[in-house]
Amino acid sequence: MEIARNILYGLSVVVQPVNLLWLTFGCIMGSIVGMLPGIGPATGIALLLPMTFVLKPAAALIMMCAIYYGAMFGGSRCSILLNIPGDASSVVSCFDGYPMTLKGQAEAALAISALASFIGQMAAALAAMVAALPITRFALRFGPPEYFTLMVCALAATTSLAQDSLLKGFISLMLGLMITTIGIDLQSGVQRFVFGIPELQMGIEFVVVIIGLYAVTEILENYKTLSSTGDTPMQTKFGRIWVSKEQWRRSIGPILRQTPIGFLIGILPGTGGTIATMMAYNNEKQISKHPEEFGKGAIEGLAAPEAANNSCSIGAILPMITLGVPGSGTAAIMLGALMIAGLQPGPLLFQHHPEIAWGIIASMFVGAIVCLIVNLPLAGLLVRLLAIPPRIMYPLILAISFLGVYTAGFSTVDLYLLTIFGLLGYFMRKHEIPSAPLILAVVIGSPLEQSFRQSLMLSDGSLRIFARSGISVTLLALAVGSVVFPFASAWLRKRRQQPTAVSH
């Protein structure tokens, strides 16, 4: 009964004309940025972040969430039609989506992509609605030590995803934590790493970091393609975008099976849609009666990852609003937007600002309907945007980036910082240093430091306070496990390969 009352309150917030307008705008923009190669939801939200400063917090967060799951809807369009993933989580959609297009089944591929995304999001939103209150009640037991260990666990989990090199993950993490120390220390009033520049006394704005690392880096990365004329062959005329009964029968099982997988993976800090879609695809291929069809246009191979992708995006938002810990890099950007608005994410958000917390959850249901309307009947119109030449699109994005950063603080120093972070992001990408640990560290670095200091003040400087609570001990164990697991799994793989090598 309490859940129903809360969700009805959230719906009353969402259906307000202004909020509904921004929700629709976010769904359309998300679908567009998801389609365009290399842009993705994180870059889309980063570009529009300065615009949220003039919106009320509820409208701003509803719009950003709509951009997130709108991008999950639209991300597969480019994969299906051109074999070019819109972002990392859409890579798996290329495996069977593009072969379906080559077989003349582009209409069915576009339809099942939208339907699977819709079902995945609606089911995950229902799960989020049920789980939100229990999680927040549990989170009310958190004090400074528990919050510190929770944030350490999130950072460790995100860093450990740099499977190729854990060292590179830690380098990214340290860079992010270093950025958060710039400015005036909140407790002592001492200036740190300001270098005599007055504009740095208040620290580096989150919007500068995020737009530099995503938008500007993307421009630098794609500089060589600016001369492209955009003449890639692409189907733009479609028949009826729908699926047959047989295609639906083959798809509904994978959709229902992989939606919970995507939701649970999304809740875990630092995982994201790429892992969810890969796992969903592999699961369906293993249990399929015809695994040889996968990679050759099997509709199950498209339906499963699409459902997991959207349910993962909902799962990533849930810990952000209930615990203050984002489940993905895009959710980390939204967490930063919450803090910019002066709001403290976590269990108290449901008590002090229920219109925002429940408005976000209710918007997941309404947003799924809007995204389905945008991406199903209007698919033929939307895909025409893929024909925009890079020489027009990327300079426009660059101009929006610099204009957005300048209007956020009206400081020329921010423009220099934006360029620096763009070059830093380009360097990191060239050397395969992940950006997710840096982004998460920038978002939670200051709360991490404050929680650590508060914990030491409560214990008169004793570190034993972090071992007094079962929650803290469990979270620290998970953090250590996250770091140790890649080494342990690599060691076990070597051990298994040694007998094979000896026998040969």
mmCIF file with all atom_site columns, all heavy atoms in Angstrom, residues 45 68 206 210 214 316 320 325-339 436 438-444:
data_model
loop_
_atom_site.group_PDB
_atom_site.id
_atom_site.type_symbol
_atom_site.label_atom_id
_atom_site.label_alt_id
_atom_site.label_comp_id
_atom_site.label_asym_id
_atom_site.label_entity_id
_atom_site.label_seq_id
_atom_site.pdbx_PDB_ins_code
_atom_site.Cartn_x
_atom_site.Cartn_y
_atom_site.Cartn_z
_atom_site.occupancy
_atom_site.B_iso_or_equiv
_atom_site.pdbx_formal_charge
_atom_site.auth_seq_id
_atom_site.auth_comp_id
_atom_site.auth_asym_id
_atom_site.auth_atom_id
_atom_site.pdbx_PDB_model_num
ATOM 1   N N   . ILE A 1 45  ? 24.503 13.535 -21.788 1.00 0.00 ? 45  ILE A N   1
ATOM 2   C CA  . ILE A 1 45  ? 24.168 14.183 -20.514 1.00 0.00 ? 45  ILE A CA  1
ATOM 3   C C   . ILE A 1 45  ? 25.191 15.252 -20.176 1.00 0.00 ? 45  ILE A C   1
ATOM 4   O O   . ILE A 1 45  ? 24.851 16.333 -19.682 1.00 0.00 ? 45  ILE A O   1
ATOM 5   C CB  . ILE A 1 45  ? 24.076 13.130 -19.387 1.00 0.00 ? 45  ILE A CB  1
ATOM 6   C CG1 . ILE A 1 45  ? 22.872 12.212 -19.630 1.00 0.00 ? 45  ILE A CG1 1
ATOM 7   C CG2 . ILE A 1 45  ? 23.951 13.793 -18.022 1.00 0.00 ? 45  ILE A CG2 1
ATOM 8   C CD1 . ILE A 1 45  ? 22.748 11.088 -18.636 1.00 0.00 ? 45  ILE A CD1 1
ATOM 9   N N   . TYR A 1 68  ? 19.352 8.961  -20.460 1.00 0.00 ? 68  TYR A N   1
ATOM 10  C CA  . TYR A 1 68  ? 20.078 7.716  -20.208 1.00 0.00 ? 68  TYR A CA  1
ATOM 11  C C   . TYR A 1 68  ? 19.356 6.533  -20.847 1.00 0.00 ? 68  TYR A C   1
ATOM 12  O O   . TYR A 1 68  ? 19.910 5.822  -21.693 1.00 0.00 ? 68  TYR A O   1
ATOM 13  C CB  . TYR A 1 68  ? 20.223 7.524  -18.701 1.00 0.00 ? 68  TYR A CB  1
ATOM 14  C CG  . TYR A 1 68  ? 21.144 6.406  -18.280 1.00 0.00 ? 68  TYR A CG  1
ATOM 15  C CD1 . TYR A 1 68  ? 21.961 5.737  -19.194 1.00 0.00 ? 68  TYR A CD1 1
ATOM 16  C CD2 . TYR A 1 68  ? 21.208 6.003  -16.952 1.00 0.00 ? 68  TYR A CD2 1
ATOM 17  C CE1 . TYR A 1 68  ? 22.809 4.726  -18.800 1.00 0.00 ? 68  TYR A CE1 1
ATOM 18  C CE2 . TYR A 1 68  ? 22.052 4.992  -16.538 1.00 0.00 ? 68  TYR A CE2 1
ATOM 19  C CZ  . TYR A 1 68  ? 22.845 4.356  -17.461 1.00 0.00 ? 68  TYR A CZ  1
ATOM 20  O OH  . TYR A 1 68  ? 23.684 3.349  -17.061 1.00 0.00 ? 68  TYR A OH  1
ATOM 21  N N   . PHE A 1 206 ? 32.642 20.143 -11.807 1.00 0.00 ? 206 PHE A N   1
ATOM 22  C CA  . PHE A 1 206 ? 32.421 18.793 -12.324 1.00 0.00 ? 206 PHE A CA  1
ATOM 23  C C   . PHE A 1 206 ? 32.075 18.816 -13.805 1.00 0.00 ? 206 PHE A C   1
ATOM 24  O O   . PHE A 1 206 ? 32.513 17.960 -14.590 1.00 0.00 ? 206 PHE A O   1
ATOM 25  C CB  . PHE A 1 206 ? 31.304 18.122 -11.521 1.00 0.00 ? 206 PHE A CB  1
ATOM 26  C CG  . PHE A 1 206 ? 30.905 16.774 -12.028 1.00 0.00 ? 206 PHE A CG  1
ATOM 27  C CD1 . PHE A 1 206 ? 31.750 15.680 -11.894 1.00 0.00 ? 206 PHE A CD1 1
ATOM 28  C CD2 . PHE A 1 206 ? 29.684 16.586 -12.656 1.00 0.00 ? 206 PHE A CD2 1
ATOM 29  C CE1 . PHE A 1 206 ? 31.382 14.436 -12.371 1.00 0.00 ? 206 PHE A CE1 1
ATOM 30  C CE2 . PHE A 1 206 ? 29.307 15.343 -13.128 1.00 0.00 ? 206 PHE A CE2 1
ATOM 31  C CZ  . PHE A 1 206 ? 30.158 14.265 -12.985 1.00 0.00 ? 206 PHE A CZ  1
ATOM 32  N N   . ILE A 1 210 ? 33.768 16.578 -16.891 1.00 0.00 ? 210 ILE A N   1
ATOM 33  C CA  . ILE A 1 210 ? 32.988 15.573 -17.598 1.00 0.00 ? 210 ILE A CA  1
ATOM 34  C C   . ILE A 1 210 ? 32.877 15.889 -19.091 1.00 0.00 ? 210 ILE A C   1
ATOM 35  O O   . ILE A 1 210 ? 32.981 14.996 -19.936 1.00 0.00 ? 210 ILE A O   1
ATOM 36  C CB  . ILE A 1 210 ? 31.592 15.429 -16.939 1.00 0.00 ? 210 ILE A CB  1
ATOM 37  C CG1 . ILE A 1 210 ? 31.044 14.036 -17.189 1.00 0.00 ? 210 ILE A CG1 1
ATOM 38  C CG2 . ILE A 1 210 ? 30.620 16.457 -17.411 1.00 0.00 ? 210 ILE A CG2 1
ATOM 39  C CD1 . ILE A 1 210 ? 31.785 12.964 -16.482 1.00 0.00 ? 210 ILE A CD1 1
ATOM 40  N N   . TYR A 1 214 ? 34.688 13.530 -22.035 1.00 0.00 ? 214 TYR A N   1
ATOM 41  C CA  . TYR A 1 214 ? 33.797 12.830 -22.963 1.00 0.00 ? 214 TYR A CA  1
ATOM 42  C C   . TYR A 1 214 ? 33.688 13.542 -24.307 1.00 0.00 ? 214 TYR A C   1
ATOM 43  O O   . TYR A 1 214 ? 34.074 13.011 -25.341 1.00 0.00 ? 214 TYR A O   1
ATOM 44  C CB  . TYR A 1 214 ? 32.403 12.652 -22.334 1.00 0.00 ? 214 TYR A CB  1
ATOM 45  C CG  . TYR A 1 214 ? 32.356 11.515 -21.348 1.00 0.00 ? 214 TYR A CG  1
ATOM 46  C CD1 . TYR A 1 214 ? 32.553 11.731 -20.001 1.00 0.00 ? 214 TYR A CD1 1
ATOM 47  C CD2 . TYR A 1 214 ? 32.140 10.208 -21.770 1.00 0.00 ? 214 TYR A CD2 1
ATOM 48  C CE1 . TYR A 1 214 ? 32.527 10.686 -19.087 1.00 0.00 ? 214 TYR A CE1 1
ATOM 49  C CE2 . TYR A 1 214 ? 32.111 9.147  -20.875 1.00 0.00 ? 214 TYR A CE2 1
ATOM 50  C CZ  . TYR A 1 214 ? 32.303 9.396  -19.534 1.00 0.00 ? 214 TYR A CZ  1
ATOM 51  O OH  . TYR A 1 214 ? 32.287 8.357  -18.641 1.00 0.00 ? 214 TYR A OH  1
ATOM 52  N N   . ALA A 1 316 ? 21.290 0.771  -12.590 1.00 0.00 ? 316 ALA A N   1
ATOM 53  C CA  . ALA A 1 316 ? 22.388 1.687  -12.258 1.00 0.00 ? 316 ALA A CA  1
ATOM 54  C C   . ALA A 1 316 ? 21.888 2.947  -11.559 1.00 0.00 ? 316 ALA A C   1
ATOM 55  O O   . ALA A 1 316 ? 22.608 3.549  -10.757 1.00 0.00 ? 316 ALA A O   1
ATOM 56  C CB  . ALA A 1 316 ? 23.150 2.059  -13.529 1.00 0.00 ? 316 ALA A CB  1
ATOM 57  N N   . MET A 1 320 ? 22.177 4.907  -7.059  1.00 0.00 ? 320 MET A N   1
ATOM 58  C CA  . MET A 1 320 ? 22.535 6.323  -7.050  1.00 0.00 ? 320 MET A CA  1
ATOM 59  C C   . MET A 1 320 ? 21.600 7.119  -6.153  1.00 0.00 ? 320 MET A C   1
ATOM 60  O O   . MET A 1 320 ? 22.038 7.961  -5.366  1.00 0.00 ? 320 MET A O   1
ATOM 61  C CB  . MET A 1 320 ? 22.479 6.872  -8.476  1.00 0.00 ? 320 MET A CB  1
ATOM 62  C CG  . MET A 1 320 ? 22.834 8.349  -8.584  1.00 0.00 ? 320 MET A CG  1
ATOM 63  S SD  . MET A 1 320 ? 22.257 9.110  -10.110 1.00 0.00 ? 320 MET A SD  1
ATOM 64  C CE  . MET A 1 320 ? 20.508 9.290  -9.796  1.00 0.00 ? 320 MET A CE  1
ATOM 65  N N   . VAL A 1 325 ? 25.625 5.966  -4.459  1.00 0.00 ? 325 VAL A N   1
ATOM 66  C CA  . VAL A 1 325 ? 26.722 5.300  -5.170  1.00 0.00 ? 325 VAL A CA  1
ATOM 67  C C   . VAL A 1 325 ? 26.222 4.920  -6.554  1.00 0.00 ? 325 VAL A C   1
ATOM 68  O O   . VAL A 1 325 ? 25.276 4.137  -6.673  1.00 0.00 ? 325 VAL A O   1
ATOM 69  C CB  . VAL A 1 325 ? 27.202 4.045  -4.423  1.00 0.00 ? 325 VAL A CB  1
ATOM 70  C CG1 . VAL A 1 325 ? 28.256 3.313  -5.241  1.00 0.00 ? 325 VAL A CG1 1
ATOM 71  C CG2 . VAL A 1 325 ? 27.761 4.407  -3.068  1.00 0.00 ? 325 VAL A CG2 1
ATOM 72  N N   . PRO A 1 326 ? 26.795 5.470  -7.622  1.00 0.00 ? 326 PRO A N   1
ATOM 73  C CA  . PRO A 1 326 ? 26.292 5.191  -8.972  1.00 0.00 ? 326 PRO A CA  1
ATOM 74  C C   . PRO A 1 326 ? 26.666 3.803  -9.449  1.00 0.00 ? 326 PRO A C   1
ATOM 75  O O   . PRO A 1 326 ? 27.712 3.267  -9.102  1.00 0.00 ? 326 PRO A O   1
ATOM 76  C CB  . PRO A 1 326 ? 26.973 6.264  -9.828  1.00 0.00 ? 326 PRO A CB  1
ATOM 77  C CG  . PRO A 1 326 ? 28.236 6.582  -9.088  1.00 0.00 ? 326 PRO A CG  1
ATOM 78  C CD  . PRO A 1 326 ? 27.925 6.414  -7.632  1.00 0.00 ? 326 PRO A CD  1
ATOM 79  N N   . GLY A 1 327 ? 25.795 3.220  -10.257 1.00 0.00 ? 327 GLY A N   1
ATOM 80  C CA  . GLY A 1 327 ? 26.055 1.898  -10.808 1.00 0.00 ? 327 GLY A CA  1
ATOM 81  C C   . GLY A 1 327 ? 26.767 1.923  -12.144 1.00 0.00 ? 327 GLY A C   1
ATOM 82  O O   . GLY A 1 327 ? 27.095 0.883  -12.672 1.00 0.00 ? 327 GLY A O   1
ATOM 83  N N   . SER A 1 328 ? 26.986 3.114  -12.722 1.00 0.00 ? 328 SER A N   1
ATOM 84  C CA  . SER A 1 328 ? 27.677 3.218  -14.012 1.00 0.00 ? 328 SER A CA  1
ATOM 85  C C   . SER A 1 328 ? 28.275 4.607  -14.133 1.00 0.00 ? 328 SER A C   1
ATOM 86  O O   . SER A 1 328 ? 27.998 5.498  -13.321 1.00 0.00 ? 328 SER A O   1
ATOM 87  C CB  . SER A 1 328 ? 26.688 2.974  -15.156 1.00 0.00 ? 328 SER A CB  1
ATOM 88  O OG  . SER A 1 328 ? 25.757 4.037  -15.253 1.00 0.00 ? 328 SER A OG  1
ATOM 89  N N   . GLY A 1 329 ? 29.092 4.799  -15.177 1.00 0.00 ? 329 GLY A N   1
ATOM 90  C CA  . GLY A 1 329 ? 29.691 6.101  -15.403 1.00 0.00 ? 329 GLY A CA  1
ATOM 91  C C   . GLY A 1 329 ? 28.650 7.168  -15.690 1.00 0.00 ? 329 GLY A C   1
ATOM 92  O O   . GLY A 1 329 ? 28.767 8.317  -15.236 1.00 0.00 ? 329 GLY A O   1
ATOM 93  N N   . THR A 1 330 ? 27.594 6.803  -16.427 1.00 0.00 ? 330 THR A N   1
ATOM 94  C CA  . THR A 1 330 ? 26.525 7.764  -16.715 1.00 0.00 ? 330 THR A CA  1
ATOM 95  C C   . THR A 1 330 ? 25.782 8.138  -15.451 1.00 0.00 ? 330 THR A C   1
ATOM 96  O O   . THR A 1 330 ? 25.436 9.306  -15.235 1.00 0.00 ? 330 THR A O   1
ATOM 97  C CB  . THR A 1 330 ? 25.547 7.170  -17.752 1.00 0.00 ? 330 THR A CB  1
ATOM 98  O OG1 . THR A 1 330 ? 26.282 6.690  -18.871 1.00 0.00 ? 330 THR A OG1 1
ATOM 99  C CG2 . THR A 1 330 ? 24.549 8.209  -18.207 1.00 0.00 ? 330 THR A CG2 1
ATOM 100 N N   . ALA A 1 331 ? 25.519 7.145  -14.593 1.00 0.00 ? 331 ALA A N   1
ATOM 101 C CA  . ALA A 1 331 ? 24.862 7.431  -13.309 1.00 0.00 ? 331 ALA A CA  1
ATOM 102 C C   . ALA A 1 331 ? 25.745 8.305  -12.424 1.00 0.00 ? 331 ALA A C   1
ATOM 103 O O   . ALA A 1 331 ? 25.245 9.111  -11.632 1.00 0.00 ? 331 ALA A O   1
ATOM 104 C CB  . ALA A 1 331 ? 24.516 6.125  -12.596 1.00 0.00 ? 331 ALA A CB  1
ATOM 105 N N   . ALA A 1 332 ? 27.066 8.166  -12.572 1.00 0.00 ? 332 ALA A N   1
ATOM 106 C CA  . ALA A 1 332 ? 27.984 9.022  -11.805 1.00 0.00 ? 332 ALA A CA  1
ATOM 107 C C   . ALA A 1 332 ? 27.838 10.482 -12.211 1.00 0.00 ? 332 ALA A C   1
ATOM 108 O O   . ALA A 1 332 ? 27.919 11.392 -11.369 1.00 0.00 ? 332 ALA A O   1
ATOM 109 C CB  . ALA A 1 332 ? 29.423 8.557  -12.010 1.00 0.00 ? 332 ALA A CB  1
ATOM 110 N N   . ILE A 1 333 ? 27.603 10.722 -13.502 1.00 0.00 ? 333 ILE A N   1
ATOM 111 C CA  . ILE A 1 333 ? 27.390 12.098 -13.972 1.00 0.00 ? 333 ILE A CA  1
ATOM 112 C C   . ILE A 1 333 ? 26.115 12.661 -13.361 1.00 0.00 ? 333 ILE A C   1
ATOM 113 O O   . ILE A 1 333 ? 26.073 13.810 -12.909 1.00 0.00 ? 333 ILE A O   1
ATOM 114 C CB  . ILE A 1 333 ? 27.324 12.133 -15.505 1.00 0.00 ? 333 ILE A CB  1
ATOM 115 C CG1 . ILE A 1 333 ? 28.643 11.644 -16.103 1.00 0.00 ? 333 ILE A CG1 1
ATOM 116 C CG2 . ILE A 1 333 ? 27.019 13.542 -16.006 1.00 0.00 ? 333 ILE A CG2 1
ATOM 117 C CD1 . ILE A 1 333 ? 28.625 11.502 -17.607 1.00 0.00 ? 333 ILE A CD1 1
ATOM 118 N N   . MET A 1 334 ? 25.062 11.837 -13.311 1.00 0.00 ? 334 MET A N   1
ATOM 119 C CA  . MET A 1 334 ? 23.807 12.291 -12.713 1.00 0.00 ? 334 MET A CA  1
ATOM 120 C C   . MET A 1 334 ? 23.961 12.519 -11.216 1.00 0.00 ? 334 MET A C   1
ATOM 121 O O   . MET A 1 334 ? 23.341 13.417 -10.636 1.00 0.00 ? 334 MET A O   1
ATOM 122 C CB  . MET A 1 334 ? 22.704 11.283 -13.001 1.00 0.00 ? 334 MET A CB  1
ATOM 123 C CG  . MET A 1 334 ? 22.294 11.247 -14.463 1.00 0.00 ? 334 MET A CG  1
ATOM 124 S SD  . MET A 1 334 ? 20.824 10.265 -14.773 1.00 0.00 ? 334 MET A SD  1
ATOM 125 C CE  . MET A 1 334 ? 21.500 8.623  -14.659 1.00 0.00 ? 334 MET A CE  1
ATOM 126 N N   . LEU A 1 335 ? 24.792 11.698 -10.570 1.00 0.00 ? 335 LEU A N   1
ATOM 127 C CA  . LEU A 1 335 ? 25.075 11.909 -9.155  1.00 0.00 ? 335 LEU A CA  1
ATOM 128 C C   . LEU A 1 335 ? 25.746 13.259 -8.940  1.00 0.00 ? 335 LEU A C   1
ATOM 129 O O   . LEU A 1 335 ? 25.428 14.002 -7.999  1.00 0.00 ? 335 LEU A O   1
ATOM 130 C CB  . LEU A 1 335 ? 25.969 10.779 -8.626  1.00 0.00 ? 335 LEU A CB  1
ATOM 131 C CG  . LEU A 1 335 ? 26.378 10.845 -7.148  1.00 0.00 ? 335 LEU A CG  1
ATOM 132 C CD1 . LEU A 1 335 ? 25.152 10.704 -6.256  1.00 0.00 ? 335 LEU A CD1 1
ATOM 133 C CD2 . LEU A 1 335 ? 27.382 9.752  -6.817  1.00 0.00 ? 335 LEU A CD2 1
ATOM 134 N N   . GLY A 1 336 ? 26.679 13.599 -9.828  1.00 0.00 ? 336 GLY A N   1
ATOM 135 C CA  . GLY A 1 336 ? 27.317 14.904 -9.750  1.00 0.00 ? 336 GLY A CA  1
ATOM 136 C C   . GLY A 1 336 ? 26.325 16.035 -9.950  1.00 0.00 ? 336 GLY A C   1
ATOM 137 O O   . GLY A 1 336 ? 26.400 17.072 -9.284  1.00 0.00 ? 336 GLY A O   1
ATOM 138 N N   . ALA A 1 337 ? 25.353 15.832 -10.857 1.00 0.00 ? 337 ALA A N   1
ATOM 139 C CA  . ALA A 1 337 ? 24.323 16.854 -11.079 1.00 0.00 ? 337 ALA A CA  1
ATOM 140 C C   . ALA A 1 337 ? 23.464 17.048 -9.838  1.00 0.00 ? 337 ALA A C   1
ATOM 141 O O   . ALA A 1 337 ? 23.066 18.176 -9.517  1.00 0.00 ? 337 ALA A O   1
ATOM 142 C CB  . ALA A 1 337 ? 23.457 16.457 -12.273 1.00 0.00 ? 337 ALA A CB  1
ATOM 143 N N   . LEU A 1 338 ? 23.172 15.960 -9.150  1.00 0.00 ? 338 LEU A N   1
ATOM 144 C CA  . LEU A 1 338 ? 22.424 16.060 -7.887  1.00 0.00 ? 338 LEU A CA  1
ATOM 145 C C   . LEU A 1 338 ? 23.168 16.921 -6.882  1.00 0.00 ? 338 LEU A C   1
ATOM 146 O O   . LEU A 1 338 ? 22.581 17.789 -6.219  1.00 0.00 ? 338 LEU A O   1
ATOM 147 C CB  . LEU A 1 338 ? 22.199 14.662 -7.298  1.00 0.00 ? 338 LEU A CB  1
ATOM 148 C CG  . LEU A 1 338 ? 20.874 13.948 -7.586  1.00 0.00 ? 338 LEU A CG  1
ATOM 149 C CD1 . LEU A 1 338 ? 20.916 12.537 -7.042  1.00 0.00 ? 338 LEU A CD1 1
ATOM 150 C CD2 . LEU A 1 338 ? 19.708 14.699 -6.965  1.00 0.00 ? 338 LEU A CD2 1
ATOM 151 N N   . MET A 1 339 ? 24.469 16.693 -6.779  1.00 0.00 ? 339 MET A N   1
ATOM 152 C CA  . MET A 1 339 ? 25.275 17.445 -5.816  1.00 0.00 ? 339 MET A CA  1
ATOM 153 C C   . MET A 1 339 ? 25.402 18.907 -6.222  1.00 0.00 ? 339 MET A C   1
ATOM 154 O O   . MET A 1 339 ? 25.409 19.804 -5.364  1.00 0.00 ? 339 MET A O   1
ATOM 155 C CB  . MET A 1 339 ? 26.658 16.799 -5.689  1.00 0.00 ? 339 MET A CB  1
ATOM 156 C CG  . MET A 1 339 ? 26.629 15.418 -5.062  1.00 0.00 ? 339 MET A CG  1
ATOM 157 S SD  . MET A 1 339 ? 28.278 14.676 -4.942  1.00 0.00 ? 339 MET A SD  1
ATOM 158 C CE  . MET A 1 339 ? 27.916 13.210 -3.974  1.00 0.00 ? 339 MET A CE  1
ATOM 159 N N   . ALA A 1 436 ? 36.313 5.600  -16.298 1.00 0.00 ? 436 ALA A N   1
ATOM 160 C CA  . ALA A 1 436 ? 35.269 5.404  -15.280 1.00 0.00 ? 436 ALA A CA  1
ATOM 161 C C   . ALA A 1 436 ? 35.782 5.597  -13.853 1.00 0.00 ? 436 ALA A C   1
ATOM 162 O O   . ALA A 1 436 ? 35.124 6.277  -13.044 1.00 0.00 ? 436 ALA A O   1
ATOM 163 C CB  . ALA A 1 436 ? 34.632 4.028  -15.445 1.00 0.00 ? 436 ALA A CB  1
ATOM 164 N N   . LEU A 1 438 ? 38.202 7.502  -12.807 1.00 0.00 ? 438 LEU A N   1
ATOM 165 C CA  . LEU A 1 438 ? 38.449 8.938  -12.629 1.00 0.00 ? 438 LEU A CA  1
ATOM 166 C C   . LEU A 1 438 ? 37.134 9.687  -12.403 1.00 0.00 ? 438 LEU A C   1
ATOM 167 O O   . LEU A 1 438 ? 37.031 10.514 -11.488 1.00 0.00 ? 438 LEU A O   1
ATOM 168 C CB  . LEU A 1 438 ? 39.184 9.496  -13.849 1.00 0.00 ? 438 LEU A CB  1
ATOM 169 C CG  . LEU A 1 438 ? 39.673 10.950 -13.768 1.00 0.00 ? 438 LEU A CG  1
ATOM 170 C CD1 . LEU A 1 438 ? 40.903 11.139 -14.644 1.00 0.00 ? 438 LEU A CD1 1
ATOM 171 C CD2 . LEU A 1 438 ? 38.604 11.956 -14.189 1.00 0.00 ? 438 LEU A CD2 1
ATOM 172 N N   . ILE A 1 439 ? 36.121 9.391  -13.216 1.00 0.00 ? 439 ILE A N   1
ATOM 173 C CA  . ILE A 1 439 ? 34.833 10.073 -13.096 1.00 0.00 ? 439 ILE A CA  1
ATOM 174 C C   . ILE A 1 439 ? 34.213 9.803  -11.734 1.00 0.00 ? 439 ILE A C   1
ATOM 175 O O   . ILE A 1 439 ? 33.752 10.723 -11.044 1.00 0.00 ? 439 ILE A O   1
ATOM 176 C CB  . ILE A 1 439 ? 33.875 9.605  -14.210 1.00 0.00 ? 439 ILE A CB  1
ATOM 177 C CG1 . ILE A 1 439 ? 34.418 10.004 -15.578 1.00 0.00 ? 439 ILE A CG1 1
ATOM 178 C CG2 . ILE A 1 439 ? 32.477 10.176 -13.999 1.00 0.00 ? 439 ILE A CG2 1
ATOM 179 C CD1 . ILE A 1 439 ? 34.576 11.487 -15.770 1.00 0.00 ? 439 ILE A CD1 1
ATOM 180 N N   . LEU A 1 440 ? 34.197 8.540  -11.315 1.00 0.00 ? 440 LEU A N   1
ATOM 181 C CA  . LEU A 1 440 ? 33.609 8.197  -10.020 1.00 0.00 ? 440 LEU A CA  1
ATOM 182 C C   . LEU A 1 440 ? 34.379 8.851  -8.881  1.00 0.00 ? 440 LEU A C   1
ATOM 183 O O   . LEU A 1 440 ? 33.787 9.334  -7.905  1.00 0.00 ? 440 LEU A O   1
ATOM 184 C CB  . LEU A 1 440 ? 33.579 6.682  -9.850  1.00 0.00 ? 440 LEU A CB  1
ATOM 185 C CG  . LEU A 1 440 ? 32.858 6.168  -8.592  1.00 0.00 ? 440 LEU A CG  1
ATOM 186 C CD1 . LEU A 1 440 ? 31.412 6.645  -8.573  1.00 0.00 ? 440 LEU A CD1 1
ATOM 187 C CD2 . LEU A 1 440 ? 32.914 4.650  -8.523  1.00 0.00 ? 440 LEU A CD2 1
ATOM 188 N N   . ALA A 1 441 ? 35.715 8.896  -8.988  1.00 0.00 ? 441 ALA A N   1
ATOM 189 C CA  . ALA A 1 441 ? 36.533 9.523  -7.949  1.00 0.00 ? 441 ALA A CA  1
ATOM 190 C C   . ALA A 1 441 ? 36.255 11.018 -7.843  1.00 0.00 ? 441 ALA A C   1
ATOM 191 O O   . ALA A 1 441 ? 36.204 11.579 -6.746  1.00 0.00 ? 441 ALA A O   1
ATOM 192 C CB  . ALA A 1 441 ? 38.016 9.276  -8.230  1.00 0.00 ? 441 ALA A CB  1
ATOM 193 N N   . VAL A 1 442 ? 36.058 11.680 -8.988  1.00 0.00 ? 442 VAL A N   1
ATOM 194 C CA  . VAL A 1 442 ? 35.749 13.112 -8.971  1.00 0.00 ? 442 VAL A CA  1
ATOM 195 C C   . VAL A 1 442 ? 34.407 13.364 -8.279  1.00 0.00 ? 442 VAL A C   1
ATOM 196 O O   . VAL A 1 442 ? 34.236 14.335 -7.545  1.00 0.00 ? 442 VAL A O   1
ATOM 197 C CB  . VAL A 1 442 ? 35.733 13.674 -10.406 1.00 0.00 ? 442 VAL A CB  1
ATOM 198 C CG1 . VAL A 1 442 ? 35.156 15.080 -10.445 1.00 0.00 ? 442 VAL A CG1 1
ATOM 199 C CG2 . VAL A 1 442 ? 37.145 13.690 -10.982 1.00 0.00 ? 442 VAL A CG2 1
ATOM 200 N N   . VAL A 1 443 ? 33.447 12.467 -8.504  1.00 0.00 ? 443 VAL A N   1
ATOM 201 C CA  . VAL A 1 443 ? 32.111 12.642 -7.935  1.00 0.00 ? 443 VAL A CA  1
ATOM 202 C C   . VAL A 1 443 ? 32.107 12.411 -6.431  1.00 0.00 ? 443 VAL A C   1
ATOM 203 O O   . VAL A 1 443 ? 31.551 13.203 -5.662  1.00 0.00 ? 443 VAL A O   1
ATOM 204 C CB  . VAL A 1 443 ? 31.100 11.700 -8.624  1.00 0.00 ? 443 VAL A CB  1
ATOM 205 C CG1 . VAL A 1 443 ? 29.758 11.730 -7.910  1.00 0.00 ? 443 VAL A CG1 1
ATOM 206 C CG2 . VAL A 1 443 ? 30.918 12.097 -10.077 1.00 0.00 ? 443 VAL A CG2 1
ATOM 207 N N   . ILE A 1 444 ? 32.731 11.319 -5.981  1.00 0.00 ? 444 ILE A N   1
ATOM 208 C CA  . ILE A 1 444 ? 32.619 10.954 -4.561  1.00 0.00 ? 444 ILE A CA  1
ATOM 209 C C   . ILE A 1 444 ? 33.901 11.227 -3.782  1.00 0.00 ? 444 ILE A C   1
ATOM 210 O O   . ILE A 1 444 ? 33.985 10.889 -2.598  1.00 0.00 ? 444 ILE A O   1
ATOM 211 C CB  . ILE A 1 444 ? 32.208 9.474  -4.392  1.00 0.00 ? 444 ILE A CB  1
ATOM 212 C CG1 . ILE A 1 444 ? 33.327 8.528  -4.866  1.00 0.00 ? 444 ILE A CG1 1
ATOM 213 C CG2 . ILE A 1 444 ? 30.918 9.189  -5.123  1.00 0.00 ? 444 ILE A CG2 1
ATOM 214 C CD1 . ILE A 1 444 ? 33.006 7.065  -4.610  1.00 0.00 ? 444 ILE A CD1 1
#
